[in-house]
Amino acid sequence: MAETNTTIPTAVGPVGEVRPSQDIKGPPPYANTGRHSLNGGDIHEEYHGLVLPTEEEKKTLRRVAGKMPAECYYLCAVEFAERASYYGCFQVYKNFIRAPLPKGSRTGAAVLDKNDTAGALGKGSVTATAMTEAFKFLSYALPIFFGWLADTKYGRFRMICQGVAICGVAHIIMIISALPPVLTSGNAIGPFALSLYMLSIGAAQFKPNISPTVMDQSPHKVAHVIEQDGERVIVDPEESLNSVMLWFYLLINIGACFGIPTTYLAKLVGYWAAYLIPTILYLLLPPLLWYLNPRLVKQPPGGSDLGNVFRVLGDCFTHGGLRSIGRKGFWDVGKPSVRAAAGSTKVYGYDDQFVEDVRRTFQACGIFLFLPIYYINDGALGAAANALSAGMRTNGVPNDLLDNLNSVTIVIMVPLMNHVIYPLLRRKGIHWGPISRMTFGFALCTIGSIGFPLLQHYVYETSPCGKYATTCQENAAEGEDGLSSISYWYYAIPIVVTAASEIFVNVTAYTIAYSRSPKNMKGLVSSVNLFMTAISAAIGLATSSAIQDPYLVWAFAGPTIAGGVFTIVFWFMFRHLNNEEFIINTDFGDMVRESDNSSDEEANKHGAKGQDTITQVPAPQPVTLNEKN
C-alpha cells in the first residue's frame, strides 16, 4: 500500500530510485509543510507558504487563473518567431511544387495574367501532396525521438536551440532554391527538397520541447486559496495553464498570419521574396534565446521513465491478462503494494503513484488517437483544399490566401475566450472540463468541414471542364476562361469554422499531455500528441493518388463522415475524465534556474565543495497576510 506521509522530492534523482507516492484521495502528502488557521476558522494545510483549500472550499469557492511569470510570455514570443517562419514558408509550398512557372515569369510570380496561379516546379497535385505531407510527417513524427532525447540526456532547452540552428540553415538554402537562375535552370527541386526536409528535422527538435518549457515556468503547481478583491478564491493550476497556453496558441497563429504577406509576395514578386521574409524574422530567435537562457526555470534531464512504464505494463498483462484491458482494476494489479500483498518479493524502482501516472498517460494517449481524423477535417486531406480553390474564381486574389483565415480567426477568438467566455464561466461556477471542450471542438470541426465537399460539388457543376476543374485554367488557351463561377470567398466559410474548433481541441491537448505524464516523460508524451499530426499526414500521403480530379468530392466527404462518428464515440469513452482532479506531478524542487546556480558555484569556490550546486526554484510566496489568507 502506498505511503501517504511522504513528500515530493526536492531534487531530481535517478530514474531507478523509488518515486514517492501521492495519494490524491486523501489529504495531499505535501501538506505536511505546515498548518494554518484562516481568519481563526478552519485549519488549512500549507504548502511552501501557500494555503491549500479544504474539501468544502474546493466545492464552493470560485476558481481563477493565477498570474504567470514574464518568462512564459517571452517563450510565447519564441514560438511566434519560429511559427511565423515555418508557416510563412509552408503556406506557399503547395503552389510552388504543384504549379508551373506562369507565362513569362522567371520568379514564380504571375506577371501577365492576374488570374494565373503562382508556381515554380510544375510537378502537379500528386507530387505536391506527397512532398508536403512527407514534410509534415517528418516534422511531427521525429519529435518522438527528440522528445525522448530531451527527457533523458540533453534537456528541453538545448534541443530547442539545436532545432533553431538547423532551421536557420534550411531557410537560407530555401531562398537559394527560389532564385530566378535556379528556377529557370530546372534544377530547383534538389536544393528545395534538401531545405524542406532539413526544416522538418529542426522543427521536430523544437516543437515537442517548447510547450512543456512554457508550462514548466508556472508557479502554480497546486490549487491554493488567496483573497482577490475581497473575495476568497482558488488559484487553479488547470485554469492557469489553460490561460497561458491560449496566449501561446495565439502567438502561434499570429506567426502563422505571415502566410498572408508571403502569399502575396509569391504572386506579385516571386518565391525568393516569399522565403526571404520568414528568414529575416527567424534571426530574432538566437538573441532572444540567449537572453532567456539564464532566466528560465528548467527541469534537468533525469533519465526516462520509459523502462519502468514497460515494467508496469508487463505486470498488468501478466497478472491481469489481455481481456482486462480497459476494464476496472487493470492497472491496480501492476501496483507494487498489490504485488507485495500477493506475496511477491520483487524490488520495484517505482511506487503505486507511478502506476497511477502511467494509467493517466495511457488515457491521454487514447485521447490523442482521435486527433488524426480531426486534423484531416481541419484543412482537408492533403492538397485537396488547394486543388479545390484552384478551380474557383479568385478575381486576382491568390488562391491560397484564404487559408490564412485559419490563423486570423484564432487570433480574434483567443482574447475573446481568455478574457470574456472562460472568466464568465468561472464566475458562474461552471466547470467546462477538458473532455467537454474537446468534444465541442470536434463537433464544430465536423460541421465546418461539411462545406468542403459541398463547394467542390458546385465547382464541378459550374466549371467549363466539369470534374477536371483543378487544372482547367492552367490548360486553357490564351483568352479563354477556365474557372468556375463559384466565388473563392465562399471558401472562407469552412476555413473559419474549422479554425475556431482548434481553440478547444489543440490548447486542451497541450495541457493534457503535460499534466497526465510522469515528470521524466513530459517531452515524450508531448511528442505523442504531435505524432497524431504525423499520422494524419501519413494518411494524406497514402491517399495522395486520389487527391485529384475527379475524386475530390469524396476526398472531403469521407473524413467528414468519419469525424462525426468519432466525435460521438469520443464523448462516451472519455466523459468521466471531466471529473478527475487536475494534477501536475512536478514539484518546485524538480526545477532549476541557471542564474541561481552561478551564486552557488561561487560559494563552492570558497569552501563549500562537495555540495550539490543545483538551486531549487522556490514556490511563489504570499507577500501580505491578506494575500496569504
Side-chain angles (χ1 to χ4, degrees):
M1 182 174 180
E3 296 179 1
T4 58
N5 61 346
T6 54
T7 58
I8 293 176
T10 56
V12 177
V15 175
E17 292 183 0
V18 176
R19 301 173 74 253
S21 297
Q22 179 175 287
D23 185 358
I24 62 174
K25 296 181 180 179
Y30 42 69
N32 62 2
T33 53
R35 300 176 71 83
H36 176 69
S37 176
L38 193 62
N39 295 330
D42 295 337
I43 297 297
H44 285 66
E45 305 289 352
E46 282 191 1
Y47 172 58
H48 289 273
L50 302 176
V51 180
L52 303 178
T54 63
E55 290 301 319
E56 180 64 24
E57 287 172 333
K58 289 180 181 179
K59 299 176 183 176
T60 58
L61 294 187
R62 183 168 65 91
R63 293 176 179 260
V64 300
K67 184 177 179 181
M68 304 296 275
E71 286 78 10
C72 282
Y73 302 102
Y74 290 141
L75 285 169
C76 290
V78 170
E79 176 72 353
F80 155 74
E82 192 273 340
R83 291 289 96 179
S85 65
Y86 178 95
Y87 284 113
C89 292
F90 185 80
Q91 198 62 42
V92 297
Y93 287 157
K94 290 176 183 176
N95 275 343
F96 182 85
I97 301 167
R98 180 187 64 80
L101 284 169
K103 301 178 184 71
S105 175
R106 298 178 67 250
T107 63
V111 295
L112 297 180
D113 187 345
K114 67 177 182 179
N115 283 319
D116 281 346
T117 299
L121 302 181
K123 299 298 182 181
S125 295
V126 173
T127 301
T129 297
M131 289 189 69
T132 55
E133 294 304 307
F135 166 76
K136 190 190 296 185
F137 178 82
L138 290 174
S139 298
Y140 290 97
L142 290 177
I144 292 285
F145 172 70
F146 291 120
W148 170 81
L149 206 60
D151 286 337
T152 58
K153 189 171 183 180
Y154 294 117
R156 291 194 270 271
F157 188 76
R158 179 174 173 181
M159 296 304 297
I160 289 171
C161 294
Q162 289 180 0
V164 166
I166 293 173
C167 286
V169 175
H171 277 296
I172 294 172
I173 298 175
M174 190 169 290
I175 294 172
I176 295 172
S177 73
L179 293 175
V182 180
L183 287 181
T184 54
S185 72
N187 298 318
I189 185 68
F192 174 75
L194 173 64
S195 64
L196 185 70
Y197 298 119
M198 281 184 65
L199 196 63
S200 70
I201 294 172
Q205 294 188 48
F206 181 95
K207 195 61 180 169
N209 295 300
I210 187 66
S211 61
T213 303
V214 172
M215 288 184 275
D216 281 345
Q217 312 309 305
S218 173
H220 308 293
K221 306 296 183 187
V222 295
H224 55 279
V225 180
I226 64 169
E227 188 171 303
Q228 186 180 82
D229 299 326
E231 177 190 7
R232 284 165 54 210
V233 295
I234 295 175
V235 175
D236 191 325
E238 181 179 12
E239 297 291 350
S240 302
L241 288 183
N242 190 57
S243 177
V244 75
M245 293 313 292
L246 277 169
W247 288 115
F248 178 82
Y249 204 63
L250 172 70
L251 268 293
I252 287 177
N253 285 278
I254 291 177
C257 287
F258 273 73
I260 298 175
T262 57
T263 299
Y264 271 104
L265 282 169
K267 181 153 187 169
L268 301 178
V269 180
Y271 282 98
W272 68 269
Y275 295 148
L276 176 63
I277 299 303
T279 303
I280 293 174
L281 187 63
Y282 206 80
L283 297 178
L284 295 174
L285 283 176
L288 187 53
L289 291 171
W290 174 83
Y291 171 79
L292 283 174
N293 183 33
R295 294 169 174 82
L296 290 180
V297 171
K298 304 168 189 172
Q299 180 178 336
S304 177
D305 284 326
L306 196 57
N308 284 337
V309 169
F310 284 114
R311 293 183 185 96
V312 170
L313 288 174
D315 277 342
C316 291
F317 286 129
T318 300
H319 302 287
L322 293 176
R323 293 183 179 180
S324 64
I325 295 176
R327 298 181 179 179
K328 187 175 181 181
F330 172 75
W331 296 102
D332 290 340
V333 297
K335 293 180 178 179
S337 62
V338 174
R339 303 278 22 99
S344 173
T345 58
K346 180 179 177 180
V347 177
Y348 289 87
Y350 51 87
D351 65 357
D352 287 4
Q353 181 55 38
F354 179 76
V355 179
E356 283 296 307
D357 290 344
V358 174
R359 177 188 66 82
R360 288 163 51 82
T361 299
F362 273 85
Q363 283 178 334
C365 293
I367 290 170
F368 298 155
L369 288 176
F370 285 79
L371 292 176
I373 191 66
Y374 165 77
Y375 290 142
I376 289 172
N377 285 325
D378 181 21
L381 183 64
N386 183 258
L388 162 64
S389 62
M392 303 178 80
R393 186 164 300 279
T394 63
N395 294 318
V397 175
N399 78 304
D400 48 4
L401 175 69
L402 292 186
D403 289 331
N404 295 285
L405 283 179
N406 176 286
S407 301
V408 173
T409 301
I410 293 169
V411 169
I412 294 171
M413 288 286 293
V414 164
L416 177 67
M417 297 302 300
N418 220 356
H419 292 290
V420 179
I421 303 300
Y422 285 143
L424 177 63
L425 292 175
R426 290 195 291 264
R427 281 197 298 271
K428 298 294 184 181
I430 299 173
H431 175 62
W432 199 17
I435 302 304
S436 297
R437 294 198 300 271
M438 292 190 72
T439 303
F440 179 79
F442 287 155
L444 190 62
C445 182
T446 301
I447 293 170
S449 66
I450 294 173
F452 289 122
L454 289 177
L455 282 174
Q456 186 64 65
H457 170 75
Y458 285 111
V459 166
Y460 279 164
E461 290 292 316
T462 56
S463 171
C465 300
K467 292 188 176 183
Y468 295 88
T470 301
T471 57
C472 193
Q473 176 68 10
E474 296 171 6
N475 298 328
E478 188 172 349
E480 290 186 2
D481 186 2
L483 295 174
S484 163
S485 60
I486 302 297
S487 172
Y488 175 50
W489 294 100
Y490 285 114
Y491 180 76
I493 298 173
I495 292 295
V496 168
V497 177
T498 56
S501 71
E502 294 182 23
I503 298 171
F504 308 101
V505 175
N506 290 345
V507 174
T508 306
Y510 284 134
T511 57
I512 286 175
Y514 186 80
S515 65
R516 302 187 75 88
S517 57
K519 66 180 181 181
N520 287 323
M521 289 180 61
K522 294 193 179 298
L524 180 61
V525 176
S526 176
S527 66
V528 172
N529 177 26
L530 297 174
F531 185 66
M532 299 302 108
T533 303
I535 292 177
S536 69
I539 295 172
L541 196 60
T543 57
S544 60
S545 60
I547 311 301
Q548 58 182 325
D549 297 327
Y551 313 115
L552 291 177
V553 170
W554 279 105
F556 292 117
T560 298
I561 295 170
V565 174
F566 277 37
T567 299
I568 297 171
V569 174
F570 176 83
W571 169 250
F572 284 102
M573 281 188 66
F574 296 107
R575 58 181 176 173
H576 64 282
L577 299 184
N578 278 328
N579 301 320
E580 282 197 7
E581 184 177 355
F582 186 84
I583 299 172
I584 301 176
N585 46 23
T586 52
D587 187 33
F588 299 108
D590 296 328
M591 304 296 176
V592 297
R593 183 183 284 118
E594 289 185 6
S595 59
D596 297 332
N597 292 347
S598 58
S599 60
D600 292 339
E601 291 169 1
E602 287 297 319
N604 288 341
K605 291 179 182 178
H606 291 85
K609 294 182 179 179
Q611 296 181 1
D612 191 354
T613 61
I614 293 179
T615 301
Q616 299 162 11
V617 177
Q621 295 297 317
V623 294
T624 66
L625 183 61
N626 283 337
E627 183 179 351
K628 182 174 181 179
N629 290 350

